[in-house]
Amino acid sequence: MIEIETTESVIGARVRNVSLGQIPDLDTVKEIDIALERYGVLIFPEQDITPRQMINFSSALGDLELTELEAARLPDFKEIFVVGNVGKGLVSFSPANEEQELEWHSDHIHHEIAARASLLYAKEVPDVGGDTLFACMYYAYDGLTVAEQQTCRKLEMIHSASGLDHYLEKQKLGDSNSLSGNRKHKEVVRPLVREHPETGRRGLYFGNQVTIGIVGWDDAEAGEFIRHLTKHACQEAFQYRHQWSAQDAVLWDNRRVLHAGTPYDVENTRRLMHRTTIRETAPITLIDE
Ligand code: OGA
Ligand code: MN
C-alpha cells in the first residue's frame, strides 16, 4: 500500500514509500491513479533516479509524449522535456520577476492531445525562488455561483502557443525563451468546464496566457473574462505551493489542477528539471445537458 501524508493545503500529498527507480506493479499504479485524482498533486521526495528510470516509471502510468521543442530535448531521451536555465537555453514557465504575471496553465491544453498528468523531477534547484504553484480547479468551479457555472459550462475556449509567445514578448525575455519559435501556431478549441473521467467532478480548464480567446466573443471581452476567472480560480485558498528540494519528483493531474512557475534568479543560480508528460486518454467534451 502506498502511504499518503497530506499537505497543509487543500490539495497535494506526499508519498514516501514508492521508489521511482522501480517499475510499479499494477496494484501500485492503481493506487497512484486513485491518489492522484484524490489529491491532485503527489510529491515523491528523495528520489535518486536516472532519465531511463524516470521514463520507465512514467510509462507505467500511461503513454508518454515526445519532446518536440529542440531546446528542451534531452539527447537520447525524447520522452524527457528539460526545464530550466542549464544546458541548451532557458526553458521556463516562470515570470522574469515578481512584478510580472504568472503563467497558469494545464500542460498541452493547446496541443492536439492534451496531457493527462505530468511528472517533474528536480535535479538542481536554487536556494530561493523557483517554487511551483498548483491550483485546484474543482474548488474553482465549485466556488462559482450557480449562474456563473451555467455560463461557464457553455463556453468554448481557444488555446494557442501564440499566447505563450505573447507572454514572453511582454516580458522582453527574447527568443531564447520562446517555447515555439516564430511558427504560426494552430488553435485548439476546448470546453471551459470538463468532467473528470474517473469521478465526474467538474473543473475549470484553461490558462491565463495560453488561452487566447472564447468562441463567439470579441478579444477584449474574452481577455477581461479570463483575467477575472484567473483571479478567482487561482486564488491562494485553492493552491498548494511546492518549494523544491533537489530529488523531489512531483506528479500532477492536468485534468484537475492548473500550475505556474514562480521567478528565480536566472542569471546567478541554476535550476534543472526533467519532465515526462503522460498523454490524455479521455475525450474532453462539452457537458451534455
Ligand atoms: C512544466 C512547468 C513549472 C516550473 O514543467 O510543465 O510548468 O516551476 N513547470 O518549472
Ligand atoms: Mn507546465
Side-chain angles (χ1 to χ4, degrees):
M1 286 287 281
I2 68 169
E3 282 163 29
I4 300 284
E5 177 191 306
T6 55
T7 67
E8 312 276 276
S9 309
V10 292
I11 46 171
R14 270 175 221 95
V15 182
R16 295 191 189 275
N17 67 340
V18 172
S19 165
L20 274 57
Q22 272 151 30
I23 298 176
D25 59 33
L26 284 179
D27 285 345
T28 306
V29 170
K30 188 132 200 232
E31 287 178 35
I32 290 172
D33 279 344
I34 290 168
L36 182 61
E37 195 288 322
R38 182 135 179 217
Y39 300 102
V41 182
L42 295 180
I43 303 122
F44 301 87
E46 293 174 31
Q47 301 288 335
D48 186 4
I49 51 169
T50 63
R52 176 49 58 203
Q53 286 173 322
M54 185 175 176
I55 292 167
N56 289 345
F57 182 88
S58 310
S59 299
L61 304 179
D63 289 344
L64 303 186
E65 202 60 70
L66 302 180
T67 303
E68 283 171 28
L69 182 68
E70 170 60 30
R73 200 178 294 152
L74 188 65
D76 303 327
F77 299 99
K78 285 204 199 103
E79 294 88 344
I80 288 183
F81 184 99
V82 183
V83 180
N85 62 350
V86 180
K88 286 191 228 169
L90 178 64
V91 176
S92 168
F93 302 93
S94 306
N97 57 55
E98 298 288 347
E99 279 74 56
Q100 311 276 353
E101 277 178 76
L102 294 168
E103 195 247 301
W104 288 102
H105 64 280
S106 175
D107 287 334
H108 293 187
I109 194 170
H110 57 303
H111 290 210
E112 201 97 47
I113 298 171
R116 181 197 138 210
S118 304
L119 178 67
L120 192 61
Y121 176 58
K123 292 181 69 73
E124 290 184 64
V125 289
D127 289 334
V128 285
D131 298 346
T132 307
L133 306 176
F134 298 90
C136 177
M137 292 302 108
Y138 291 168
Y139 287 93
Y141 178 79
D142 292 347
L144 296 170
T145 65
V146 170
E148 287 167 335
Q149 289 177 347
Q150 200 169 17
T151 304
C152 286
R153 285 203 301 275
K154 296 198 177 78
L155 296 182
E156 293 188 285
M157 313 302 269
I158 306 165
H159 313 289
S160 167
S162 6
L164 302 177
D165 283 356
H166 182 62
Y167 172 65
L168 296 171
E169 274 160 30
K170 278 193 287 192
Q171 301 191 57
K172 302 193 196 73
L173 286 177
D175 267 0
S176 63
N177 292 283
S178 177
L179 280 176
S180 35
N182 293 320
R183 290 201 311 266
K184 184 112 180 68
H185 304 295
K186 65 173 189 312
E187 297 178 352
V188 173
V189 173
R190 299 185 186 283
L192 173 58
V193 181
R194 62 181 295 187
E195 277 179 345
H196 199 290
E198 302 301 326
T199 58
R201 281 196 73 174
R202 292 172 178 176
L204 297 176
Y205 190 51
F206 73 109
N208 68 330
Q209 313 289 345
V210 73
T211 305
I212 58 165
I214 304 174
V215 174
W217 289 39
D218 80 45
D219 285 352
E221 269 182 330
E224 194 54 30
F225 183 87
I226 292 165
R227 256 191 305 283
H228 262 88
L229 195 65
T230 306
K231 206 158 166 237
H232 161 75
C234 302
Q235 61 182 275
E236 238 175 87
F238 302 157
Q239 284 181 19
Y240 165 68
R241 172 184 281 265
H242 189 69
Q243 288 179 288
W244 293 91
S245 297
Q247 301 197 337
D248 282 349
V250 175
L251 178 69
W252 65 86
D253 184 352
N254 284 298
R255 294 164 168 172
R256 175 180 177 177
V257 301
L258 300 188
H259 61 283
T262 65
Y264 64 100
D265 185 346
V266 170
E267 300 297 326
N268 303 302
T269 60
R270 288 165 66 92
R271 189 173 191 266
L272 177 61
M273 325 281 278
H274 284 177
R275 191 185 85 200
T276 49
T277 316
I278 298 147
R279 288 174 152 220
E280 183 55 270
T281 50
I284 306 167
T285 51
L286 273 177
I287 295 163
D288 220 359
E289 37 195 343

